[in-house]
Coordinates of all heavy atoms in Angstrom, one line a residue:
A358 N 10.0 14.6 -40.7 CA 9.9 14.3 -39.2 C 11.2 14.5 -38.5 O 12.3 14.3 -39.0 CB 9.3 12.9 -39.0
S359 N 11.1 14.9 -37.2 CA 12.3 14.9 -36.3 C 12.2 13.8 -35.3 O 13.2 13.5 -34.7 CB 12.4 16.2 -35.6 OG 11.4 16.4 -34.7
A360 N 11.1 13.1 -35.1 CA 11.0 12.0 -34.1 C 9.9 11.0 -34.6 O 9.0 11.4 -35.3 CB 10.6 12.6 -32.7
V361 N 10.1 9.8 -34.2 CA 9.2 8.7 -34.5 C 8.9 7.8 -33.3 O 9.8 7.6 -32.5 CB 9.8 7.7 -35.6 CG1 8.8 6.8 -36.1 CG2 10.5 8.5 -36.7
V362 N 7.7 7.4 -33.2 CA 7.3 6.4 -32.2 C 6.7 5.2 -32.9 O 5.9 5.4 -33.8 CB 6.2 7.0 -31.3 CG1 5.8 6.0 -30.2 CG2 6.6 8.4 -30.6
N363 N 7.2 4.1 -32.5 CA 6.6 2.8 -33.1 C 5.7 2.2 -32.1 O 6.2 1.6 -31.1 CB 7.7 1.9 -33.5 CG 7.1 0.6 -34.1 OD1 5.9 0.4 -34.2 ND2 8.0 -0.3 -34.5
A364 N 4.4 2.4 -32.2 CA 3.4 1.8 -31.3 C 2.5 0.8 -32.1 O 1.3 0.6 -31.8 CB 2.6 2.8 -30.7
V365 N 3.1 0.1 -33.1 CA 2.4 -0.9 -33.9 C 2.3 -2.2 -33.1 O 3.3 -2.5 -32.5 CB 3.1 -1.1 -35.2 CG1 2.5 -2.3 -36.0 CG2 3.0 0.2 -36.1
S366 N 1.2 -2.9 -33.2 CA 1.2 -4.1 -32.4 C 0.7 -5.3 -33.3 O 0.0 -5.0 -34.4 CB 0.2 -4.0 -31.2 OG -1.1 -4.2 -31.6
L367 N 0.9 -6.5 -32.9 CA 0.3 -7.7 -33.4 C 0.3 -8.7 -32.3 O 1.4 -9.0 -31.8 CB 1.1 -8.2 -34.6 CG 0.5 -9.5 -35.2 CD1 -0.8 -9.2 -35.9 CD2 1.5 -10.2 -36.1
Y368 N -0.8 -9.1 -31.8 CA -0.9 -10.0 -30.6 C -1.2 -11.4 -31.0 O -0.8 -12.3 -30.3 CB -2.0 -9.5 -29.6 CG -1.7 -8.2 -29.0 CD1 -2.5 -7.1 -29.3 CD2 -0.6 -8.0 -28.1 CE1 -2.3 -5.8 -28.7 CE2 -0.4 -6.8 -27.6 CZ -1.2 -5.7 -27.9 OH -0.9 -4.5 -27.3
V369 N -1.8 -11.6 -32.2 CA -2.2 -12.9 -32.6 C -1.8 -13.1 -34.0 O -2.1 -12.2 -34.9 CB -3.7 -13.2 -32.4 CG1 -4.1 -14.6 -32.8 CG2 -4.1 -13.0 -31.0
E370 N -1.1 -14.2 -34.4 CA -0.6 -14.4 -35.8 C -1.8 -14.8 -36.6 O -2.7 -15.6 -36.1 CB 0.5 -15.4 -35.8 CG 1.7 -14.9 -35.1 CD 2.9 -15.9 -35.2 OE1 2.6 -17.1 -35.0 OE2 4.0 -15.5 -35.5
R371 N -1.9 -14.3 -37.8 CA -3.0 -14.7 -38.7 C -2.4 -14.9 -40.1 O -2.0 -13.9 -40.7 CB -4.1 -13.5 -38.8 CG -5.0 -13.5 -37.7 CD -6.1 -12.4 -37.8 NE -6.2 -11.7 -36.6 CZ -5.6 -10.6 -36.2 NH1 -4.8 -10.0 -37.1 NH2 -5.7 -10.1 -35.1
G372 N -2.4 -16.1 -40.6 CA -1.9 -16.4 -41.9 C -0.5 -15.9 -42.1 O 0.4 -16.2 -41.3
R373 N -0.2 -15.0 -43.1 CA 1.1 -14.6 -43.3 C 1.5 -13.4 -42.4 O 2.7 -13.0 -42.5 CB 1.3 -14.1 -44.8 CG 1.2 -15.3 -45.7 CD 1.9 -15.0 -47.1 NE 1.7 -13.6 -47.5 CZ 1.2 -13.2 -48.6 NH1 0.9 -14.1 -49.5 NH2 1.0 -12.0 -48.9
L374 N 0.6 -12.9 -41.6 CA 0.9 -11.8 -40.7 C 1.4 -12.5 -39.4 O 0.6 -12.9 -38.6 CB -0.4 -11.0 -40.5 CG -0.3 -9.6 -39.9 CD1 0.7 -8.8 -40.8 CD2 -1.6 -8.9 -39.9
D375 N 2.7 -12.6 -39.3 CA 3.2 -13.2 -38.1 C 4.1 -12.2 -37.3 O 4.4 -11.1 -37.7 CB 4.0 -14.5 -38.5 CG 5.1 -14.2 -39.4 OD1 5.6 -13.1 -39.5 OD2 5.6 -15.1 -40.1

Side-chain angles (χ1 to χ4, degrees):
S359 70
V361 189
V362 179
N363 180 0
V365 170
S366 84
L367 178 74
Y368 295 113
V369 180
E370 296 185 313
R371 279 180 226 98
R373 290 203 326 234
L374 201 52
D375 58 21

